[in-house]
Amino acid sequence: MTTRTAFILREDATLAVFQRPEERLDYGLDYAELVADGDSLASSTWSSTGTLTLSDESQSGAVVSVTVEGTQGSVTNLVETAQGRRKAVTFCVIPPVVATCA
C-alpha cells in the first residue's frame, strides 16, 4: 500500500509524516502535473538523512514510492523528466507524540 495522504503541511511549509520507530511504511509521490503534455519520468532518485533506511524504490507511471524504516530524519526524492524538467520533494519523518494511557 502506498501512502499518499499521510503527509502533513507544517507551519513552516515543510512536509512531514509521523512514523513510530518500529514501523516500516511506504510513501508515494504523484508527479502527474509535472509530466503533463506527453512528458514522462526518466529518473527518480531517493536519499535520506538521520537514522532512516530506504528500500523498495519503485515507479509506476507518474507515481514514485519508497519504503521508509525508522524516524528522525528527512527523505528527498529527485525526479527528472524526459524533457529535462527536474523536481525535488523533501519530507521529514518524525515520531508521533503518544499520550500515556492510564
Side-chain angles (χ1 to χ4, degrees), residues 7-41:
F7 295 100
I8 59 166
L9 185 60
R10 301 190 312 178
E11 288 183 16
D12 62 0
T14 58
L15 291 174
V17 294
F18 291 110
Q19 182 167 304
R20 298 173 64 93
E22 67 273 13
E23 292 179 324
R24 184 176 183 269
L25 300 172
D26 52 327
Y27 298 95
L29 300 170
D30 189 340
Y31 290 102
E33 291 181 13
L34 182 66
V35 297
D37 302 324
D39 203 356
S40 62
L41 293 182

Side-chain angles (χ1 to χ4, degrees), residues 12 33 36 45 70 74 91 94:
D12 62 0
E33 291 181 13
T45 305
S74 66
F91 60 92
I94 52 180

Side-chain angles (χ1 to χ4, degrees), residues 35 38-43 80-85:
V35 297
D39 203 356
S40 62
L41 293 182
S43 67
E80 185 166 354
T81 72
Q83 294 180 7
R85 295 181 181 106

Side-chain angles (χ1 to χ4, degrees), residues 65-84:
S65 62
V66 68
T67 299
V68 179
E69 187 170 1
T71 186
Q72 298 293 354
S74 66
V75 175
T76 298
N77 177 246
L78 174 64
V79 295
E80 185 166 354
T81 72
Q83 294 180 7

